[in-house]
């Protein structure tokens, strides 16, 4: 079902994607899809929630800025991939009014923050940043610039944005600005 949904989103966009088209592409009865998910939005949210559970590899470059740069570049690359972006766009849009989508998005970011916490822990252990630096805040600050560009200003994102975010967050962490309160 996931492949059929992704193909539909890429081919016709969210507005053109229907349960009928997904069911036909997947080779199942549309009643099966309606019974299980009820709507295209719910199908996208479930697909996103399943994908959000996966762990992503975290680089160990030997420096906070290098690790953050690798993480940010990886995130930007995923967001620039048409299938990933199509699904992410739908979940962000649905999260405004759908508690399941909101929960999936919240869980996604919580999982990404927890997965990336070792970056901050290693930097503290190396003496690069002060003890008490809030790992969650470091990771949130890292992602904020490119998510703001995508969903607030509508500006394009790229590797340079990832690199800039890593440099700024690394500097802020070294200065003690991201310590737990």
């Amino acid at each position: 079902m996931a492949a059929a949904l992704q193909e539909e989103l890429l081919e016709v966009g969210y507005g053109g994607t229907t349960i009928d088209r997904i069911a036909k592409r997947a080779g199942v009865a549309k009643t099966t899809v309606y019974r299980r998910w009820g709507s295209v939005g719910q199908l996208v949210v479930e697909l996103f929630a399943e994908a959000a559970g996966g762990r992503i590899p975290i680089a160990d470059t030997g420096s906070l800025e290098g690790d953050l740069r690798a993480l940010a570049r990886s995130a930007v690359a995923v967001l620039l991939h048409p299938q990933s972006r199509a699904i992410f766009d739908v979940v962000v849009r649905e999260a405004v009014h759908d508690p399941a989508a909101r929960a999936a998005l919240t869980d996604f970011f919580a999982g990404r923050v927890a997965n990336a916490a070792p970056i901050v822990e290693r930097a503290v252990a190396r003496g690069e940043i002060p003890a008490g630096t809030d790992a969650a805040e470091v990771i949130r600050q890292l992602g904020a610039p490119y998510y703001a560009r995508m969903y607030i200003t509508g500006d394009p994102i790229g590797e340079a944005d990832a690199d800039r975010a890593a440099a700024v967050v690394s500097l802020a962490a070294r200065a003690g600005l991201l310590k737990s309160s």
Side-chain angles (χ1 to χ4, degrees), residues 4-181:
L5 172 62
Q6 289 175 341
E7 291 167 9
E8 281 297 311
L9 288 171
L10 282 175
E11 187 176 308
V12 298
Y14 183 67
T17 299
T18 65
I19 295 289
D20 291 347
R21 289 178 59 101
I22 295 168
K24 184 175 183 176
R25 191 180 289 263
V28 299
K30 66 181 176 181
T31 54
T32 302
V33 181
Y34 275 114
R35 190 172 33 256
R36 171 98 191 261
W37 291 283
S39 71
V40 172
Q42 288 305 307
L43 181 55
V44 171
V45 167
E46 184 172 313
L47 175 69
F48 180 80
E50 288 172 9
R55 295 183 58 83
I56 57 172
I58 300 298
D60 187 352
T61 66
S63 75
L64 176 64
E65 186 171 341
D67 292 354
L68 292 175
R69 183 181 307 108
L71 179 62
R73 284 181 175 190
S74 174
V76 166
V78 167
L79 293 169
L80 289 174
H81 188 277
Q83 286 179 321
S84 300
R85 178 65 187 266
I87 291 168
F88 211 89
D89 287 353
V90 171
V91 174
V92 168
R93 182 174 38 253
E94 291 291 310
V96 172
H97 56 80
D98 180 352
R102 175 74 262 157
L105 199 56
T106 299
D107 290 347
F108 170 81
F109 284 111
R112 291 302 183 251
V113 166
N115 186 64
I119 291 172
V120 175
E121 294 162 5
R122 290 190 307 247
V124 169
R126 287 189 300 262
E128 257 186 288
I129 58 177
T133 297
D134 185 340
E137 193 58 29
V138 169
I139 305 307
R140 282 191 295 262
Q141 291 295 322
L142 181 67
Y146 43 88
Y147 285 108
R149 289 175 71 90
M150 285 174 40
Y151 293 111
I152 296 173
T153 66
D155 294 328
I157 61 170
E159 211 169 72
D161 301 302
D163 293 350
R164 186 178 314 106
V168 168
V169 171
S170 177
L171 182 63
R174 285 194 307 272
L177 299 174
L178 301 176
K179 290 178 68 173
S180 301
S181 331

